[in-house]
Amino acid sequence: MTRIPGTKALEIIAKTDKTINRRDFLKQVGAGSVLLSTLGLGGCSGGSGNDNTNSAPKNVLVLGAGAAGLTAALALKKQGHKVTILEYQNRIGGRLWSKELLRGQFTELGAGHFSNEGMPLINALVSRYQLPRLEVYDGTPRYVMNGTDGISYQGDSSNPTAWPLQWGLNANERITPIGPTLIGYLNKAGLSNLDEVLEASWPNAAAVATYGNMTVKQLLIEQGASQGFINLLNVHLGSFAADGDVLDGLSSLVYFFYKKAFFRVQGGNELIAKSMADEFGRDAIILNSQVVSIDQTGSQAIVTTSNGKIYQADKVVSTIPFRVIKDVNVQPEWSSGKNKLFSGMTWIDGFKGVIQTQTPTWVTQGNLGWPMATTDKAWNRVIDITGNEGGGYGNGFFYVYRNEKLAQLKAITGPNRYTARTELLLSQFNNTLNDALSTSTPPLSNNLIYQNQVVTKDSIMWADGEDVPWIKSALGVGVKPWMRDEWSTPEGRIHFAGDFTSYKSGWVEGALESGLRAAAEIDPKATSL
């Protein structure tokens, strides 16, 4: 890793009652136990499992100390197994990665926010460790987007009746903001119960049969959506989300537009992983341990790290991303099914450019939340995460997924690239809005971010060969139904977890689900944390 931005997180130690009974546990977990049942797991610690499975204590190696690895480790340790975690980095958390800013504020280099609804596992952990929440407002963005005439126009998300006719929206799409219109189209397509999309059992056989070969764009157009609405959806999300598959992409759409009560953890989302690690036991987490080989030709799995250390295990839980796992020497070689899985998933890069300002000027202008401004121009999206943070500063970041802009940012190299990349986006952002002062209809009256107000700039590139060599990307997408069967099938003694082994890729909830699934494959009683 070329650089690890400084993180001086506020340590909040888990206050977990080790003698908690089942009734109190279910009170704390709430709907989490319902989700566990959809995984085929019971919510009761030590409950009955598959009696045909040997549940004698095993020696288990977990590869990765992110949310998925920590979940599997805790669930298995709870059942009496000896578990050791090997972590490539010199830190715990994986995609849960926070950075301290001025006046006690934090930004998120990785997982940015969670939903109060539809994420029972993450909510249960936040409550369990008594971590304070910070509200993240639903986005009320300013859109800057080309019309059908090629000219740039702007509009506020909260005032759809004033959206430019040149965007090419249907009349019914200019009545309500984008969220209710999208939900209406999904309901019309037969998706009347959107809560089921967030269950671990999604997609079920009926959904696969109905939507298995359909993109979001195709589904929306079949329901009468205009190309202008498709463009606006992509602009709002900062990517070509509508081009993705329905089965793979629907969970994110439901989180963003249906389950919109967002929050962060005060002191940084990384505190979730740190609290899990404290409960598991830091002495059993070995950092700076890059796995270079896994040998299964003998009676146990032999795992070797780059520093020459050798570990033996009855079972291995790998959370190594499929984009990276090809670099690990595995004997016997991977089966054809696993090679197809590793090569079949699509990985996309991403960039976060951190901004902290003297005051949250965008909030006073009425543009805030996730996102606060978004465009089909160079800078993609600007996110406000100031929420109810103290300190008085404004806290936000740029999000970039589009390949042409990522290429421009990657071209900025050298030790100053972390600030230079963000400075470029900030300049382009302000230029776009300044141009729109005179060219947009209706005209803009102000900017959202003033450069003389910026007190902190930083960035991270989630890309192959950049700041995250152990992950090499932002998201794993393009999940097909057959992939779930493949990643749920162990390869010898190796079981697979990680948010990319979930239909909630990019969401920590999916990582937690995957960790429990992998643990239950080893021991059917390992159904909860």
Side-chain angles (χ1 to χ4, degrees), residues 183-217:
I183 299 304
Y185 283 136
L186 295 179
N187 292 163
K188 186 179 177 182
L191 292 159
S192 56
N193 180 14
L194 292 177
D195 289 309
E196 71 176 353
V197 173
L198 302 181
E199 296 174 357
S201 57
W202 172 265
N204 56 32
V208 172
T210 304
Y211 311 110
N213 296 310
M214 184 178 294
T215 66
V216 173
K217 179 178 179 178

Side-chain angles (χ1 to χ4, degrees), residues 318-447:
S318 172
T319 69
I320 300 173
F322 298 153
R323 195 173 184 179
V324 179
I325 205 166
K326 60 182 176 58
D327 299 329
V328 178
N329 179 22
V330 177
Q331 296 296 329
E333 294 182 354
W334 296 116
S335 64
S336 59
K338 291 300 181 291
N339 280 322
K340 181 182 177 183
L341 173 64
F342 300 158
S343 61
M345 188 171 289
T346 300
W347 299 86
I348 61 175
D349 295 340
F351 172 87
K352 277 189 174 182
V354 174
I355 292 287
Q356 188 182 28
T357 63
Q358 292 174 355
T359 57
T361 53
W362 48 83
V363 175
T364 62
Q365 297 169 28
N367 299 98
L368 61 148
W370 199 290
M372 66 169 171
T374 187
T375 184
D376 55 3
K377 312 302 175 199
W379 41 271
N380 278 190
R381 292 193 298 167
V382 184
I383 310 295
D384 161 49
I385 58 171
T386 307
N388 54 336
E389 276 193 299
Y393 280 9
N395 191 351
F397 53 80
F398 290 98
Y399 236 155
V400 177
Y401 285 124
R402 297 177 185 263
N403 288 332
E404 64 274 15
K405 174 48 55 181
L406 289 171
Q408 187 181 35
L409 293 171
K410 291 176 185 179
I412 301 174
T413 58
N416 296 323
R417 65 184 181 277
Y418 303 102
T419 56
R421 289 168 172 170
T422 299
E423 287 171 355
L424 173 65
L425 287 175
L426 181 58
S427 175
Q428 292 173 335
F429 173 77
N430 284 329
N431 287 341
T432 300
L433 295 188
N434 284 331
D435 290 343
L437 284 171
S438 58
T439 61
S440 287
T441 305
L444 293 175
S445 58
N446 50 35
N447 280 346

